[in-house]
Amino acid sequence: MKSYEVNFDGLVGPTHNYGGLSYGNVASQSNSQQSSNPKEAALQGLAKMKALMEMGFQQGVLAPQERPDVVALRRLGFAGSDAQVIERAAKDAMPLLVASCSASSMWVANAATVSPSADTADGRVHFTAANLNCKYHRSIEHPTTSRVLGAMFADQQHFAHHAALPAVAQFGDEGAANHTRFCRDYGQAGVEFFVFGRSAFDTRYPAPQKYPARQTLEASQAVARLHGLSDDGVVYAQQNPSVIDQGVFHNDVIAVGNGEVLFYHEDAFLETDKMLAELDAKLGKRGGNFQSICVPRSQVTVEDAVRSYLFNSQLLSRADGSMLLIVPEECRGNERVWQYLQGLTSSGGLIREVKVFDLKQSMQNGGGPACLRLRVALNQTELAAVNPGVIMTAPLYGTLTQWVDKHYRDRLSENDLADPQLLLECRTALDELTQILKLGAVYPFQIN
Ligand code: SUG
């Protein structure tokens, strides 16, 4: 049976703004307080989805969340009508209002970890929503994420959903941003590669000194257990703490993998040789031929990687077996990175083509092409069981661009977040969106 990697991209929500909320994420911190353009952000994301669909890849869409999150503000003690909750938060605790307005759910690589059915003990596709508990504004995403994923992948015969891990730092889980799967074919058993930043309970593992390590070993192990993965189909590796301290807050800022290939920076991991040998041996036992492409620091520095987001690219397999890299415009703007990419594609290796996308609105908050998508490997039967409303088609693209044009503002600054009208605009837009995507009631305002 044929199998596919389906990319579900996060649709940028109407409150996209630059809140400076992510300590350790260089772009988020340096663009704090700039005014944003939610309409442009959403259209940039949709243009990428359309382009991939037109190239023949399976493409889906993942809905944004209700913001400001008045339910979260009420939990923090703000009371009254929804408008009063917003007004009081704006007056007494602006940072909390800003956090409750973040459109950060667009970076759906952090929505969940997904294991395809070929890897799991019960033969179903498993999803664990990420608790994202390193940052308050992201920790409020998972309840709605779970409902949206539940509405997209509703068929229990094929799909299993797990609640987010316990919401404490020891089980900090950032989802697929620290998880890659290697396989010979999407439908065959593969090797799931979990990259962690620190251990919560074992002091032998070093930790970064300056910025937080968001993913723990213990969280990754829990996800592997929940999904029923076998030991010979899992490899754990530690991110180099010194790159976390240079702004590599997720592994997908310094490495990307697909099929049998890992594309990574020389400084990305600790004990790299041991890790590569384990990946090679385990994938070999599953009929695969592991290959790695190491980008040397002499050609691209960690700083270049963080600024250009070279590794936050989408590595896609084409029908002829060659690979394509989807990179952000910022890669073309960095001379060393661009030169490296020219050399890579002309060397006759696996990666033959680079396509550049303008995702500046998301990039200014530290979210590149790979952050914006959640990969779900599905066989034909499973793909047919996905809610068809979320699969990208030319008509759906047309409907969604019109929907964005109708509902989104083209400028948003911090003061605008205090406007109760923004909540009403967001709810009106999302109510319509749930009908477009055939999701049913998934948002707090639709349920409560
Ligand atoms: O979690 N930025 C996100 C970016 C996530 C990128 N995802 C991956 N690498 N997979 C984060 O740091 C910034 C929001 C703000 O500052 O307004 C933010 O949340």
Side-chain angles (χ1 to χ4, degrees):
M1 195 184 329
K2 212 168 153 34
S3 295
Y4 310 88
E5 175 188 272
V6 189
N7 282 280
F8 290 87
D9 275 46
L11 185 55
V12 178
T15 61
H16 158 61
N17 74 95
Y18 299 115
L21 299 171
S22 280
Y23 179 65
N25 167 344
V26 177
S28 153
Q29 289 188 273
S30 55
N31 292 304
S32 175
Q33 311 292 316
Q34 268 194 41
S35 67
S36 63
N37 185 336
K39 183 177 282 185
E40 186 177 61
L43 294 175
Q44 286 176 342
L46 280 164
K48 172 165 90 77
M49 297 184 223
K50 176 172 180 262
L52 263 73
M53 173 191 73
E54 287 176 345
M55 282 183 248
F57 296 104
Q58 297 286 343
Q59 179 69 52
V61 58
L62 223 150
Q65 304 208 351
E66 179 188 345
R67 294 289 181 268
D69 188 336
V70 277
V71 174
L73 288 170
R74 287 183 192 284
R75 281 184 67 196
L76 299 176
F78 299 101
S81 65
D82 288 344
Q84 285 167 330
V85 165
I86 293 168
E87 207 177 285
R88 287 170 187 166
K91 189 165 146 283
D92 298 341
M94 196 56 192
L96 299 184
L97 178 63
V98 175
S100 81
C101 287
S102 178
S104 54
S105 67
M106 73 175 87
W107 300 297
V108 294
N110 307 117
T113 307
V114 187
S115 294
S117 57
D119 296 351
T120 62
D122 68 359
R124 294 190 293 169
V125 183
H126 282 245
F127 299 81
T128 295
N131 62 23
L132 296 174
N133 82 330
C134 181
K135 307 282 174 223
Y136 171 67
H137 72 288
R138 304 222 58 184
S139 70
I140 57 179
E141 291 174 26
H142 70 85
T144 298
T145 300
S146 290
R147 282 193 298 273
V148 172
L149 288 174
M152 294 165 69
F153 304 96
D155 187 337
Q156 291 182 15
Q157 196 191 329
H158 297 294
F159 307 119
H161 295 273
H162 305 279
L165 296 177
V168 289
Q170 282 113 321
F171 291 105
D173 178 20
E174 299 277 321
N178 296 310
H179 172 258
T180 308
R181 176 177 185 258
F182 299 102
C183 59
R184 183 165 181 79
D185 178 90
Y186 296 119
Q188 285 177 17
V191 176
E192 300 204 13
F193 179 47
F194 290 86
V195 181
F196 59 94
R198 68 188 172 96
S199 165
F201 297 103
D202 190 335
T203 51
R204 283 173 304 176
Y205 294 94
Q209 302 295 306
K210 186 176 169 197
Y211 291 144
R214 298 194 194 185
Q215 180 88 29
T216 67
L217 168 63
E218 292 76 7
S220 300
Q221 289 168 330
V223 171
R225 272 191 300 271
L226 285 165
H227 292 194
L229 305 180
S230 66
D231 288 347
D232 52 358
V234 173
V235 172
Y236 297 100
Q238 183 168 10
Q239 230 186 319
N240 181 350
S242 90
V243 300
I244 297 179
D245 282 338
Q246 292 171 73
V248 181
F249 57 97
H250 287 138
N251 179 58
D252 69 3
V253 175
I254 197 125
V256 58
N258 174 40
E260 297 171 302
V261 181
L262 172 66
F263 178 62
Y264 71 101
H265 188 274
E266 185 178 0
D267 293 328
F269 307 103
L270 291 182
E271 300 193 87
T272 309
D273 291 342
K274 189 170 153 245
M275 169 198 98
L276 293 174
E278 194 179 346
L279 284 168
D280 182 50
K282 289 189 169 170
L283 190 60
K285 281 199 187 134
R286 303 197 157 201
N289 172 28
F290 180 69
Q291 295 163 67
S292 58
I293 304 170
C294 174
V295 179
R297 69 176 85 86
S298 58
Q299 288 186 49
V300 173
T301 63
V302 172
E303 192 187 341
D304 289 330
V306 171
R307 286 188 186 279
S308 68
Y309 261 39
L310 165 63
F311 296 95
N312 200 259
S313 47
Q314 285 179 255
L315 184 58
L316 299 167
S317 302
R318 300 196 287 199
D320 67 359
S322 70
M323 284 186 153
L324 161 71
L325 204 59
I326 303 287
V327 302
E329 186 66 57
E330 284 71 4
C331 285
R332 189 152 44 193
N334 180 307
E335 211 177 305
R336 278 182 300 276
V337 168
W338 194 241
Q339 207 174 357
Y340 174 81
L341 285 171
Q342 301 305 305
L344 180 72
T345 49
S346 58
S347 66
L350 266 172
I351 303 177
R352 301 274 163 76
E353 197 187 350
V354 168
K355 277 198 191 292
V356 179
F357 282 82
D358 179 3
L359 297 162
K360 187 161 185 253
Q361 286 290 325
S362 165
M363 281 289 289
Q364 291 188 148
N365 251 340
C371 298
L372 286 162
R373 59 95 173 97
L374 181 67
R375 296 186 282 187
V376 186
L378 297 168
N379 64 34
Q380 241 161 350
T381 313
E382 291 154 356
L383 182 55
V386 176
N387 178 343
V390 299
I391 301 295
M392 189 55 80
T393 59
L396 179 59
Y397 171 77
T399 307
L400 289 174
T401 49
Q402 278 170 19
W403 172 82
V404 169
D405 278 330
K406 180 172 152 198
H407 295 286
Y408 280 50
R409 299 190 188 188
D410 59 11
R411 195 187 144 84
L412 210 58
S413 59
E414 193 179 279
N415 290 340
D416 300 316
L417 304 180
D419 175 6
Q421 185 60 30
L422 186 64
L423 173 65
L424 298 181
E425 284 171 30
C426 184
R427 286 180 174 169
T428 307
L430 294 184
D431 215 24
E432 208 175 299
L433 184 69
T434 49
Q435 291 166 44
I436 296 171
L437 301 179
K438 302 188 174 52
L439 291 174
V442 288
Y443 296 115
F445 77 95
Q446 296 174 315
I447 297 166
N448 299 326

